[in-house]
Amino acid sequence: MKKFDKIIIVTLLLISLISIIVLKMPKENSQGEKYVVIYVNRELYKKISLMDNNLDKTFKIETEFGYNIVQIKNGGVNIIDADCPDKYCVTDGFIDQPGQMLVCLPHRLVIEIKGTSNNDELVPDEISY
Amino acid sequence: MTQTKKIVYIALLVAQALVLHIVERMIPINLGIPGAKLGLANIITLVSLYIFNFKDCFSIVIIRTALANFLAGSLSSFLFSISGGILSLIAMYEIKKIGKENISVIGVSIFGAVFHNIGQILIAAMIIQNLRITVYLPFLMISAIATGFFVGIVVKFLLKYLRAI
């Protein structure tokens, strides 16, 4: 262990710890509307409002890459089963805060929770469906 | 080093990298972070960095990632390992040049491991067209610091014996 080694370890640890703390900080505007947005292969697949906490819905997203079973419950979302090899999307568990996301890379699936603050990014509106 | 000796040496290193790659897949270790792994094959990149010039290291990285993914892997896993591999090689080469006597193989290894993750995350962000996936990076970085540290120690011992050849 030489001088530069210690500098590298300390700086990298600081960078990662600080960014984890910043990411874990609660978002101020989490009171507004909440949406779950699902992208498959870069394209918007589904947009569901999470305002109703009693909404209980389970559906299967089937693509050329495989399937993922998505469950919407208690104002959050969870992938309960998938046929991808690593199953990280399943072990990532339940998310219900705006900004959180579930990713299944082998299936090119991204599930994001968005709040009203970044509503502008939601391109198609309800009428599109 | 003669040309023949160099070719044999490179072939040996690539073969060892492939074995390490397969052994690593057999270890049922789950660090709890998507994409985090031990990075044993980085041992070979590091060793070659201390023995050969940049051009030879580059070809070792390309050959070992290509062959490893032919053996066990897919096109997307190839994209991940090649982007991470090249980025970490460039990062390690540069930090080794900058640090000179002040940096040991452990620091170089950690630096390379972190850049391997950065490369992977960038490719993942390109595939899903969503930059938010970078929120995984801090978690991956912490695991990279730990695994990079141990890979560095391994290479430190390894180089002591390899230099004799």
Side-chain angles (χ1 to χ4, degrees):
Chain A
M1 292 283 273
K2 289 177 182 167
K3 203 177 79 196
F4 265 46
D5 297 353
K6 286 169 189 152
I7 297 173
I8 287 175
I9 294 174
V10 171
T11 9
L12 290 176
L13 262 181
L14 277 180
I15 292 173
S16 42
L17 288 178
I18 289 170
S19 24
I20 287 175
I21 291 166
V22 170
L23 286 170
K24 287 280 177 201
M25 275 201 294
K27 302 259 186 329
E28 284 171 30
N29 37 20
S30 55
Q31 296 302 316
E33 275 190 273
K34 229 164 49 172
Y35 289 96
V36 56
V37 191
I38 302 174
Y39 296 94
V40 175
N41 209 6
R42 302 168 200 179
E43 276 159 25
L44 189 77
Y45 175 85
K46 219 172 197 156
K47 191 186 99 181
I48 302 159
S49 171
L50 284 177
M51 287 321 284
D52 182 9
N53 270 345
N54 300 320
L55 184 72
D56 192 339
K57 209 163 145 183
T58 306
F59 52 90
K60 195 174 184 180
I61 299 174
E62 213 157 7
T63 58
E64 51 189 300
F65 310 108
Y67 73 85
N68 295 72
I69 297 173
V70 180
Q71 186 185 42
I72 293 178
K73 211 179 172 183
N74 303 329
V77 60
N78 189 8
I79 297 179
I80 51 177
D81 192 24
D83 65 346
C84 53
D86 45 26
K87 294 221 182 352
Y88 284 127
C89 51
V90 182
T91 49
D92 271 358
F94 178 79
I95 57 167
D96 62 353
Q97 292 299 314
Q100 287 184 305
M101 67 193 298
L102 295 169
V103 180
C104 183
L105 265 183
H107 296 172
R108 310 267 167 96
L109 176 79
V110 180
I111 299 178
E112 245 186 291
I113 295 189
K114 286 185 173 177
T116 25
S117 50
N118 41 13
N119 215 359
D120 312 346
E121 292 169 43
L122 305 173
V123 188
D125 57 9
E126 279 90 345
I127 300 159
S128 317
Y129 288 99
Chain B
M1 199 182 284
T2 63
Q3 191 66 25
T4 321
K5 195 175 171 187
K6 199 164 107 179
I7 291 171
V8 173
Y9 221 132
I10 289 176
L12 273 173
L13 284 176
V14 170
Q16 281 164 347
L18 292 179
V19 173
L20 285 175
H21 177 83
I22 292 165
V23 168
E24 190 178 329
R25 286 176 65 96
M26 286 175 178
I27 303 173
I29 186 168
N30 189 354
L31 297 169
I33 312 161
K37 54 177 189 172
L38 290 173
L40 292 179
N42 199 31
I43 292 172
I44 300 301
T45 317
L46 261 175
V47 166
S48 60
L49 200 64
Y50 277 83
I51 296 175
F52 299 115
N53 58 27
F54 183 76
K55 219 182 103 195
D56 295 322
C57 296
F58 196 80
S59 40
I60 289 175
V61 168
I62 301 275
I63 297 168
R64 83 159 165 82
T65 43
L67 286 177
N69 285 291
F70 285 147
L71 282 175
S74 61
L75 182 65
S76 60
S77 72
F78 172 69
L79 280 175
F80 289 128
S81 21
I82 200 116
S83 60
I86 292 173
L87 197 66
S88 81
L89 174 65
I90 294 170
M92 290 194 289
Y93 178 73
E94 291 300 330
I95 197 80
K96 185 171 163 267
K97 221 167 58 181
I98 296 165
K100 287 200 184 79
E101 292 306 309
N102 289 320
I103 192 161
S104 81
V105 65
I106 297 172
V108 175
S109 165
I110 293 173
F111 201 70
V114 167
F115 270 82
H116 195 280
N117 287 333
I118 294 174
Q120 282 179 311
I121 286 281
L122 287 180
I123 284 287
M126 264 164 68
I127 288 178
I128 61 169
Q129 298 275 305
N130 194 328
L131 264 179
R132 281 207 63 93
I133 197 172
T134 43
V135 295
Y136 282 127
L137 193 56
F139 300 97
L140 279 174
M141 264 168 80
I142 288 184
S143 83
I145 293 168
T147 57
F149 184 78
F150 289 109
V151 166
I153 290 174
V154 170
V155 175
K156 202 174 146 193
F157 285 118
L158 204 58
L159 280 175
K160 218 164 33 184
Y161 296 101
L162 279 175
R163 286 219 171 98
I165 304 171

